[in-house]
């Protein structure tokens, strides 16, 4: 491998400046390549096309050849210098004003921040309780009912609505003159508790064609911040009431599961496996959250300033958008944004380091599965989304999430040994 003339200057706080010298013969070769590329593309009076002296082209197209030579040499030798010196920039480099002369070596400098050296915590530094899966009869019953609901039949009925009936409803919600909800033909299982309790209560006993007005107060932890603790006026109309009939557990029902279920015993085993899988996932999610929280206290190193400022800006903008008229001082928002940004960047750098150290790989099948779910939610086919830059961004986000979970799962396994 070609040995380059490279000097490195430590500017402090993870900032580095490298000066790279490209040999004179490489500069000359770049100019010759530019000449060969350019000579058949231009016309000069008095010369046959492609038969112009190189010196004439270099004089006539000095700026163009200079730029092309620089664009050819600088990226190539910058990458070679990084590899030779084992440097890994954390941000895009800033190159100094570049000057090039065909008869001289090309000397250029680049300034950038690098990722910090990270000392990984010992696994003994973590505290985690091993949990066994515990399944209740109620959980089995609820999961079983979900399957039955998926195959249930709904037939029109007269009379008042009761729990487990499916209602087709139109409704509107207003706060003053502002319309906050407006839906027609919504299907709702009464008793499913997907609506707030006041809405459920209003629907109880209503029949086809009935209308009702009622007040609804949103809870303090409602997902839309602007509606928390606010009271709205709602109107609802029931356009249809349907009575649910669960399917019989027979061959016609079991066929929906393919070879996996042939009998009621197989069906019960499937239910138990699903509940177990879900509970294991809940335990693992809780454990990952605890490990990440502990990492927030264990990791303490400088992070690249440019990355930090970018992350702070994003978080600060998000915080201001969520402010909704609250009187939180900007200084307080900035302090919180900085603390959160530093923790998240340290965690990301830690993840990168442990991936390299332990040679961990993401489960590509799981990445693809989650990406396809994201595509389905957006109503677009995965192959179509991947043709767009936005699609690649989404895929990388999903990949990063799976990779973080892989690292946290790895730590959990080591801690619980």
């Amino acid at each position: 491998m070609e040995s380059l003339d490279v000097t490195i200057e430590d500017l402090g706080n993870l900032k580095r400046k490298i000066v790279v010298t490209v040999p004179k013969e490489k500069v000359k070769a770049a100019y010759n390549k530019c000449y060969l590329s350019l000579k058949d593309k231009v016309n000069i009076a008095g010369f046959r096309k492609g038969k112009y002296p190189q010196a004439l082209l270099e004089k006539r197209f000095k700026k163009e050849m200079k730029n092309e030579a620089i664009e050819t040499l600088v990226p190539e030798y910058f990458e070679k210098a990084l590899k030779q010196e084992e440097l890994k920039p954390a941000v895009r480099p800033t190159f100094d004003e570049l000057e090039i002369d065909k008869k001289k070596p090309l000397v250029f400098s680049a300034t950038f921040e690098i990722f910090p050296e990270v000392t990984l915590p010992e696994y003994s530094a973590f505290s985690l309780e091993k949990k066994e899966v515990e399944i209740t009869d109620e959980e089995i019953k609820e999961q079983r009912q979900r399957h039955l609901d998926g195959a249930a039949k709904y037939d029109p009925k007269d009379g008042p609505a009761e729990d487990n009936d499916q209602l087709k409803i139109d409704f509107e919600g207003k706060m003053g003159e502002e319309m906050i909800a407006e839906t027609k033909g919504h299907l709702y299982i009464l008793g499913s508790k997907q609506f707030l309790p006041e809405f459920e209560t209003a629907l109880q006993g209503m029949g086809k064609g009935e209308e009702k007005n009622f007040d609804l107060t949103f809870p303090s932890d409602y997902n839309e911040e602007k509606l928390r603790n606010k009271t709205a006026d709602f109107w609802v109309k029931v356009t249809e009431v349907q009575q649910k009939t669960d399917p019989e557990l027979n061959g016609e029902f079991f066929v929906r599961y393919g070879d996996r279920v042939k009998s009621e015993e197989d069906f019960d085993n499937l239910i138990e496996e699903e509940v177990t899988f879900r509970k294991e996932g809940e335990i693992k999610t809780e454990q990952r959250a605890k490990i990440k929280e502990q990492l927030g206290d264990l990791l303490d190193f400088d992070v690249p300033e440019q990355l930090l400022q970018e992350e702070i800006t994003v978080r600060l903008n998000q915080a201001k958008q969520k402010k909704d008229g609250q009187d939180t001082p900007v200084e307080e928002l900035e302090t919180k944004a900085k603390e959160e940004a530093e923790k998240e960047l340290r965690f990301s750098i830690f993840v990168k380091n442990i991936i390299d150290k332990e040679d961990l790989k993401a489960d590509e099948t799981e990445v693809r599965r989650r990406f396809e779910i994201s595509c389905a939610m957006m109503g677009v086919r995965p192959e179509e989304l991947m043709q767009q830059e936005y699609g690649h961004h989404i895929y990388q986000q999903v990949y990063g999430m799976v990779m973080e979970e892989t690292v946290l799962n790895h730590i959990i396994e080591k801690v619980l040994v």
Side-chain angles (χ1 to χ4, degrees):
M1 179 179 173
E2 177 185 6
S3 179
L4 301 181
D5 180 1
V6 181
T7 60
I8 305 173
E9 185 178 353
D10 187 344
L11 303 179
N13 296 327
L14 303 177
K15 201 168 187 178
R16 300 291 184 271
K17 179 179 180 179
I18 64 171
V19 180
V20 183
T21 301
V22 181
K24 180 172 65 176
E25 61 270 18
K26 299 297 182 180
V27 177
K28 183 178 180 180
Y31 266 84
N32 292 339
K33 185 178 179 180
C34 293
Y35 164 71
L36 294 173
S37 173
L38 189 62
K39 70 175 185 174
D40 293 327
K41 298 177 182 177
V42 299
N43 291 309
I44 298 179
F47 292 90
R48 285 184 299 155
K49 191 170 184 177
K51 299 298 182 180
Y52 324 115
Q54 184 169 340
L56 177 60
L57 277 186
E58 289 178 7
K59 183 177 181 180
R60 287 280 188 94
F61 299 96
K62 180 179 180 180
K63 183 177 180 180
E64 290 80 358
M65 295 188 76
K66 171 186 172 181
N67 290 341
E68 188 171 341
I70 288 174
E71 289 172 6
T72 298
L73 293 170
V74 172
E76 176 186 352
Y77 279 85
F78 178 64
E79 290 299 322
K80 285 182 177 180
L82 293 179
K83 188 172 183 181
Q84 174 179 299
E85 304 301 325
E86 297 183 344
L87 290 171
K88 294 182 179 180
V91 297
R92 288 181 180 275
T94 300
F95 294 98
D96 286 352
E97 188 71 28
L98 299 171
E99 291 295 332
I100 189 168
D101 186 327
K102 177 183 175 181
K103 299 178 181 180
K104 299 178 181 179
L106 168 63
V107 180
F108 68 88
S109 64
T111 305
F112 51 85
E113 289 181 285
I114 62 172
F115 286 108
E117 292 291 331
V118 179
T119 302
L120 303 181
E122 297 291 334
Y123 294 117
S124 58
F126 297 96
S127 175
L128 200 61
E129 178 184 356
K130 190 170 185 177
K131 286 190 175 183
E132 300 294 337
V133 173
E134 297 180 358
I135 300 174
T136 65
D137 292 340
E138 186 63 27
E139 288 170 329
I140 293 290
K141 181 181 177 181
E142 289 177 357
Q143 184 67 8
R144 183 186 181 92
Q145 190 60 51
R146 290 189 188 99
H147 282 265
L148 297 179
D149 288 344
K153 294 181 180 179
Y154 294 89
D155 300 305
K157 64 172 275 190
D158 296 323
E162 301 174 309
D163 279 352
N164 296 320
D165 285 346
Q166 179 171 266
L167 310 183
K168 190 174 184 179
I169 60 175
D170 301 336
F171 65 88
E172 295 177 353
K174 290 184 176 182
M175 282 203 312
E177 296 301 317
E178 181 186 0
M179 183 73 72
I180 60 171
E182 185 176 16
T183 302
K184 290 186 178 296
H186 182 77
L187 295 176
Y188 185 73
I189 304 296
L190 192 56
S192 63
K193 298 181 181 179
Q194 293 180 0
F195 283 168
L196 293 174
E198 290 154 296
F199 208 133
E200 282 265 356
T201 300
L203 291 173
Q204 288 285 350
M206 290 185 69
K208 180 179 179 180
E210 287 190 41
E211 301 180 33
K212 185 180 289 187
N213 292 91
F214 61 96
D215 291 338
L216 186 151
T217 301
F218 293 92
S220 58
D221 59 350
Y222 193 66
N223 55 357
E224 288 190 55
E225 190 171 345
K226 70 175 185 177
L227 297 179
R228 293 174 184 172
N229 298 314
K230 301 292 178 60
T231 298
D233 299 318
F234 269 80
W235 164 85
V236 63
K237 179 179 180 179
V238 176
T239 59
E240 191 172 353
V241 180
Q242 297 176 329
Q243 186 173 22
K244 184 179 76 168
T245 303
D246 283 339
E248 294 184 22
L249 298 183
N250 53 26
E252 183 181 352
F253 173 73
F254 297 143
V255 73
R256 65 196 284 124
Y257 300 101
D259 294 335
R260 193 175 181 186
V261 175
K262 297 292 187 181
S263 65
E264 188 169 350
E265 181 181 357
D266 292 341
F267 181 57
D268 290 337
N269 290 335
L270 170 67
I271 299 302
E272 186 172 349
E273 289 172 8
E274 289 179 340
V275 175
T276 300
F277 181 78
R278 188 183 75 245
K279 297 282 282 187
E280 288 175 341
E282 291 171 355
I283 291 173
K284 190 62 69 75
T285 298
E286 180 185 339
Q287 290 174 332
R288 285 196 294 262
K290 288 183 177 179
I291 291 295
K292 188 172 181 178
E293 183 182 353
Q294 292 175 39
L295 279 168
D297 298 326
L298 292 170
L299 301 178
D300 185 19
F301 50 80
D302 291 334
V303 296
E305 185 63 26
Q306 184 175 327
L307 291 182
L308 178 60
Q309 290 304 320
E310 290 172 359
E311 185 70 18
I312 289 173
T313 299
V314 170
R315 290 176 179 273
L316 194 55
N317 288 338
Q318 290 174 342
K320 288 178 179 178
Q321 289 172 5
K322 293 178 180 178
K323 193 176 177 183
D324 289 331
Q326 295 179 18
D327 297 325
T328 307
V330 174
E331 294 78 8
E332 188 176 326
L333 293 176
E334 290 175 344
T335 299
K336 184 178 180 182
K338 184 174 186 295
E339 291 175 353
E340 292 177 348
E342 285 181 328
K343 277 194 174 184
E344 195 59 35
L345 279 176
R346 288 192 183 110
F347 175 67
S348 298
I349 293 169
F350 166 79
V351 166
K352 182 179 181 298
N353 273 266
I354 204 167
I355 287 171
D356 293 340
K357 179 182 178 183
E358 303 291 348
D359 193 26
L360 300 177
K361 300 287 189 299
D363 184 342
E364 294 288 350
T365 302
E366 177 64 10
V367 174
R368 183 70 186 180
R369 183 186 73 83
R370 295 194 193 183
F371 178 68
E372 289 175 351
I373 291 174
S374 297
C375 291
M377 293 175 66
M378 291 185 284
V380 62
R381 295 168 60 199
E383 53 270 26
E384 291 178 355
L385 192 60
M386 283 300 288
Q387 292 176 5
Q388 306 172 32
E389 184 177 347
Y390 177 68
H392 285 280
H393 178 68
I394 295 293
Y395 188 88
Q396 288 303 316
Q397 280 187 324
V398 173
Y399 183 90
M401 289 174 59
V402 173
M403 202 67 248
E404 285 185 5
E405 289 181 8
T406 301
V407 167
L408 292 171
N409 289 342
H410 175 79
I411 297 174
I412 292 168
E413 291 175 4
K414 296 290 186 181
V415 172
L416 296 180
V417 168

